[in-house]
């Protein structure tokens, strides 16, 4: 079953032709409307006329998360603010968030991408879609919501939290599709067990799980516990949000909506484009976005690409399930966390040369984060309550900057190992097997 | 009249106390009293020693977080009810204590003592002296 058969089953030649036309338009538009891109292109000596087809893509400059921060909040937008109808945001590498915007048409494209992906699983307007991604600045909730609604399904905008009530709704409404992070899906299964509810009392058929790394092992576990087909949905707010790609009934990679996003795989060290099938950093160029058409945006996600026709009949290129990151970003309970954010909190707290270590673990089914900070002269006091007050204040500041809670533990000076060169800041004990 | 107490930050992990005590031994510091205040995460070790400055310097040299804190030593008779009398007076006078601990003193020579860290040092000293309690110097402990 296809949502847009013409596009989803288009030959590679036709797809390249469509991409080329859209790329040329986009490059011209960003050159004219976004001073940041004009400057970047001029520095590289590339003019819009130099880009005639997708073959010329490699001539264009990359865009990074840092560029978005430098142009905070709206300076990378390519359309007038009055045409922007929605803002979303995600964590930045330091204090500031990364802000993204959408025009009405951008939202419609987003909804169609999600609708295409859900249709590929077998979801129809007769389905009931329970969305347990967070609603708000995070793209997960509203992204899945918009797609399911566009498809004509019945949407239950449950958002996150109050898991027992969510389980009760799944039973009462007999929803057929569940959208959430894979770890939350397992958490729901756990809650069901506590409540004495079996998977036979639910009516779930499909799951669209994403926003954090997960494994085939977790896929099997979720399928077994919830009695559904578990699918992978990929996306990032800078490009659009969830739905940039999604796997199909074959579960052999995620189909990328290449008519909207041109994927590349590059060597993260050199920036050189790698041949089909090789592993490297995923890079996307948005060729239909009006508000934020990013050029060669470096996702820092590691994957590989194939243009081979899929068993489901789609010719859309597929990316392998993301296997890791080529930076130090952590994904904790679906939220992006950068060690540099933690460092900025400590610096603001008056720590001149902060020594810290981040411990990530999965206790039961939820990710936990504990930040160890070395005790200093300034923080130390003879009174227990003063030290506890520091811990509490640090905890509050971290939570407000990171958007998720983290435990803080003050440890003895010099107890965190020093390393020459790049310091090791993270110990991730989550077993992703 | 106050006494310098050495306070040391300790993580709650096995062997840590032994390391601190070993260091004091190496530096020939004699401990008169020791009190650990702990939470689930960390502890603060409080020490009355014969050479607080030397102990403090040795700890710093070994990258430990320590501080010198002023506390009051109050002399007590080593007999039933002596501690009660001091605490009762403090309560009656409405002066507040952050923490306190007591030790029995050395046989025959020095008296038992109560160590007090008050909320307000001046207020506590004036009150205790006006009520006739004897405050101790480090040499008298
Ligand atoms: Zn497929």
């Amino acid at each position: 079953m296809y949502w847009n058969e013409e596009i989803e089953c288009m030959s590679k030649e036709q797809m390249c032709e469509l991409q080329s036309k859209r790329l040329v338009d986009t490059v011209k538009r960003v050159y004219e409307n976004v001073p940041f891109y004009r400057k970047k292109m001029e520095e590289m000596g590339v003019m819009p006329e130099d880009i005639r087809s997708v073959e010329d893509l490699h001539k264009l400059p990359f865009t990074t998360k840092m560029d978005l921060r430098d142009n905070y909040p709206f300076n990378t937008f390519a359309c007038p603010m009055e045409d922007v109808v929605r803002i979303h945001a995600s964590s930045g590498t330091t204090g500031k968030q990364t802000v993204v915007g959408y025009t009405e048409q951008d939202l419609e494209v987003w909804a169609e991408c999600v609708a295409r992906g859900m249709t590929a699983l077998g979801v129809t307007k007769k389905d009931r879609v329970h969305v347990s991604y967070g609603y708000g600045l995070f793209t997960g909730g509203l992204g899945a919501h918009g797609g399911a609604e566009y498809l004509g399904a019945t949407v239950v905008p449950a958002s996150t939290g109050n898991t027992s009530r969510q389980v009760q709704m799944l039973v009462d409404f007999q929803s057929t599709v569940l959208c959430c992070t894979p770890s939350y899906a397992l958490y729901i299964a756990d809650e069901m067990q506590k409540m004495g509810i079996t998977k036979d009392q639910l009516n779930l058929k499909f799951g669209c799980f994403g926003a954090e790394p997960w494994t085939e092992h977790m896929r099997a576990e979720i399928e077994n516990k919830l009695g559904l087909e578990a699918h992978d949905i990929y996306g990032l707010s800078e490009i659009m949000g969830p739905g940039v790609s999604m796997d199909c009934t074959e579960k052999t990679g995620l189909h990328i909506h290449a008519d909207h996003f041109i994927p590349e795989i590059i060597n993260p060290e050199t920036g050189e484009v790698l041949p089909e099938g090789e592993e490297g950093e995923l890079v996307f160029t948005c060729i239909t976005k009006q508000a934020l058409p990013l050029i060669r945006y470096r996702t820092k996600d590691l994957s590989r690409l194939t243009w081979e026709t899929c068993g489901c009949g789609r010719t859309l290129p597929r990316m392998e399930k993301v296997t890791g990151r080529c930076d130090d970003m952590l994904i904790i309970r679906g939220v992006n966390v950068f060690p540099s954010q933690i460092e900025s909190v400590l610096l603001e707290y008056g720590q001149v040369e902060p020594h810290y270590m981040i411990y990530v673990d999965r206790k039961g089914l939820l990710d936990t984060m504990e930040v160890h900070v070395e005790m200093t002269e300034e923080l130390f006091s003879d009174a227990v309550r003063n030290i506890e007050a520091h811990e509490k204040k640090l905890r509050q500041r971290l939570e407000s900057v990171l958007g998720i809670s983290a435990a803080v533990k003050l440890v003895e000076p010099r107890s965190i190992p020093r390393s020459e060169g790049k310091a090791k800041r993270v110990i991730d004990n989550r077993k992703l097997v | 009249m106050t006494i310098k107490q050495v306070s040391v930050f300790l993580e709650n992990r096995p062997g840590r106390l032994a390391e601190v005590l070993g260091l004091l031994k190496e530096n020939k510091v004699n401990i008169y009293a020791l009190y650990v205040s702990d939470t689930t995460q960390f502890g603060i070790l409080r020490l009355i020693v014969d050479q607080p400055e030397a102990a403090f310097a040795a700890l710093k040299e070994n990258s430990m977080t320590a501080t010198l804190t002023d506390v009051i030593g109050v002399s007590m008779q080593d007999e039933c009810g002596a501690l009660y009398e001091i605490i009762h007076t403090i309560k009656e006078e409405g002066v507040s204590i952050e923490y306190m601990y007591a030790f029995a003193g050395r046989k025959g020579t020095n008296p038992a003592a109560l160590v007090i860290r008050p909320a307000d040092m001046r207020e506590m000293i004036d009150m205790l002296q006006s009520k006739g309690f004897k405050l101790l110097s480090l040499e008298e402990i």
Side-chain angles (χ1 to χ4, degrees), chain A residues 248 250 255 310 312 314:
Chain A
C248 59
E250 301 289 310
H255 288 286
C310 179
C312 72
R314 283 175 184 76

Side-chain angles (χ1 to χ4, degrees), chain A residues 152-163:
Chain A
T154 308
V155 184
V156 182
S159 197
T160 51
N162 201 341
T163 311

Side-chain angles (χ1 to χ4, degrees), chain A residues 370 375-377 380-385 387-388 391 407-415, chain B residues 5 7-11 13 16 37 39 41-42 44 46 60 63 65-67 69 98-99:
Chain A
E370 185 169 277
M375 180 53 110
T376 57
E377 294 288 300
F380 184 59
S381 152
D382 172 54
V384 170
R385 68 184 148 76
I387 299 178
E388 285 178 335
E391 283 182 334
V408 171
K409 186 180 178 190
L410 291 168
V411 298
E412 285 172 21
R414 308 210 59 85
S415 64
Chain B
Q5 168 196 265
S7 307
V8 192
F9 178 74
L10 284 186
E11 252 177 75
R13 63 187 161 88
R16 207 52 195 132
S37 172
T39 71
Q41 302 266 32
F42 63 88
I44 298 175
R46 301 187 177 114
K60 301 287 281 187
S63 306
T65 310
T67 181
T69 313
E98 290 217 5
Y99 58 81

Side-chain angles (χ1 to χ4, degrees), chain A residues 118 121 123 127-133 144 156 158-159 166 170 175-182 184-186 188-189 192 202-210 222 226 228-231 233 246:
Chain A
M118 285 185 173
L121 311 181
V123 179
D127 282 288
R128 279 171 216 157
V129 182
H130 182 105
V131 180
S132 296
Y133 284 114
V156 182
S159 197
Q166 301 232 12
L170 287 169
S175 296
T176 49
V177 183
L178 174 63
C179 301
C180 61
T181 60
Y184 194 63
L186 284 171
I188 287 176
M192 279 165 55
L202 305 183
N203 192 26
L204 288 173
K205 292 190 286 189
F206 313 106
C208 304
F209 304 123
I222 295 169
L226 292 178
L228 48 65
E229 291 291 320
H231 291 281
I233 183 166
M246 209 166 146

Side-chain angles (χ1 to χ4, degrees), chain B residues 59-76:
Chain B
L59 291 164
K60 301 287 281 187
E61 247 167 59
N62 287 275
S63 306
M64 295 191 192
T65 310
T67 181
L68 289 174
T69 313
D70 288 326
V71 292
I72 303 169
V74 190
S75 174
M76 296 191 280

Side-chain angles (χ1 to χ4, degrees), chain A residues 332-347:
Chain A
I332 297 164
R333 282 171 258 151
V335 176
N336 300 349
V337 172
F338 295 92
S340 52
Q341 290 176 293
I342 290 161
E343 187 156 336
S344 71
V345 168
L346 297 175
L347 285 168

